[in-house]
């Protein structure tokens, strides 16, 4: 029972940190940090390479809009096919709840989007936390948890790279502050770890029969 407790505790700590960060940034804290990092990463047409802008737009596109739900639906169907309804339910329900929570937080904190440079992916919804960063964290961390083959370090590296690039792309495109992305990462991780805790608890009850990387 130690593993579920640790996962639930880590998830709770991350969620509290997201809420605390939301209050902090809306109160004006971390502004100097946000501006410094944004100035270092923001891209602009005419001065930034077109290929880099297109690459970041492509990475960002994967993690947002209707396409992210299509990708999650495909992953959920694949998990159902290969690992059963438990894995599919974990992916589908967790990502949906995480997305809804992110949306609620956006309108609760109502943080204004950056205006340091012209946005390269124009969007008008509130900024904190980043929905793209949240989605990337919850989906890719859950993938590592749910798919046995993801024990391989290359899969884990690929997942970490996509989480990082998705968040950084939002800063480079000028549509999020760095703390928005940090909040999104923590929020997504908190939901993924919560799902991991539930899975670990079920494994304990079923003597480790549930197929995931949490199985010894």
């Amino acid at each position: 029972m130690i593993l579920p407790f640790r996962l639930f505790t880590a998830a709770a700590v991350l969620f509290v940190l997201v809420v605390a960060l939301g209050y902090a940034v809306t109160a004006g804290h971390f502004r100097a940090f946000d501006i410094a990092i944004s100035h270092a990463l923001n891209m602009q047409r005419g001065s930034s390479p077109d290929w880099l802008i297109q690459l970041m737009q492509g990475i960002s596109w994967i993690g947002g809009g209707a396409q992210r739900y299509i990708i999650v639906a495909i992953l959920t169907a694949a998990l159902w096919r290969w690992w059963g309804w438990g894995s599919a339910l974990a992916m589908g329900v967790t990502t949906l709840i995480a997305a809804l929570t992110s949306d609620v937080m956006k309108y609760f904190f109502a943080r204004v989007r950056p205006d340091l440079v012209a946005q390269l992916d124009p969007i008008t919804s509130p900024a904190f936390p980043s929905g793209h960063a949240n989605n990337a964290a919850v989906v890719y961390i859950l993938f590592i948890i749910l798919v046995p083959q993801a024990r391989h370090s290359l899969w884990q590296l690929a997942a970490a790279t996509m989480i990082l690039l998705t968040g950084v792309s939002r800063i480079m495109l000028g549509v999020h502050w760095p703390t928005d992305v940090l909040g999104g990462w923590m929020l997504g991780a908190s939901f993924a770890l919560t799902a991991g805790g539930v899975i670990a608890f079920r494994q304990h009850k079923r003597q480790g029969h549930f197929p995931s990387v949490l199985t010894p």
Side-chain angles (χ1 to χ4, degrees), residues 2-3 9-10 12-13 16 22 30 47 59 86 88 104-105 109 117 128 185 190 199 204:
I2 294 178
L3 180 58
T9 300
V13 169
V16 169
F30 301 110
S47 59
I59 292 172
V104 170
M105 283 188 168
F109 291 112
V117 295
F128 182 91
W185 281 335
S190 72
I199 292 167
H204 175 77

Side-chain angles (χ1 to χ4, degrees), residues 88-109:
L89 195 63
M91 177 63 75
V93 172
T94 305
T95 53
L96 179 59
I97 294 176
L100 292 174
T101 303
S102 176
D103 289 342
V104 170
M105 283 188 168
K106 280 179 181 291
Y107 288 97
F108 177 81
F109 291 112

Side-chain angles (χ1 to χ4, degrees), residues 11-102:
V13 169
L14 285 172
F15 190 86
V16 169
L17 287 175
V18 174
V19 175
L21 182 59
Y23 279 110
V25 297
T26 52
H29 302 298
F30 301 110
R31 181 165 177 78
F33 168 81
D34 276 331
I35 291 177
I37 301 299
S38 295
H39 277 314
L41 294 179
N42 284 166
M43 300 185 296
Q44 299 183 62
R45 294 196 184 279
S47 59
S48 301
D50 289 339
W51 67 266
L52 184 58
I53 292 176
Q54 293 172 3
L55 176 62
M56 290 300 105
Q57 287 175 330
I59 292 172
S60 185
W61 180 87
I62 293 172
Q67 55 274 16
R68 68 176 170 179
Y69 295 109
I70 294 173
I71 292 172
V72 169
I74 293 172
L75 286 175
T76 300
L79 286 168
W80 188 302
R81 171 65 178 82
W82 296 109
W83 303 112
W85 67 269
S87 293
L89 195 63
M91 177 63 75
V93 172
T94 305
T95 53
L96 179 59
I97 294 176
L100 292 174
T101 303
S102 176

Side-chain angles (χ1 to χ4, degrees), residues 25-26 31 34-35 38 42 60 63-65 68 99 102-107 109-134 166-181 184:
V25 297
T26 52
R31 181 165 177 78
D34 276 331
I35 291 177
S38 295
N42 284 166
S60 185
R68 68 176 170 179
S102 176
D103 289 342
V104 170
M105 283 188 168
K106 280 179 181 291
Y107 288 97
F109 291 112
R111 191 185 195 189
V112 178
R113 297 268 176 175
D115 59 357
L116 301 178
V117 295
Q119 293 184 2
L120 297 176
D121 182 20
I123 192 166
T124 58
S125 61
F128 182 91
S130 166
H132 283 69
N134 168 65
T166 300
V168 171
S169 73
R170 304 306 286 165
I171 304 171
M172 296 179 71
L173 296 173
V175 296
H176 272 297
W177 298 106
T179 45
D180 298 337
V181 171

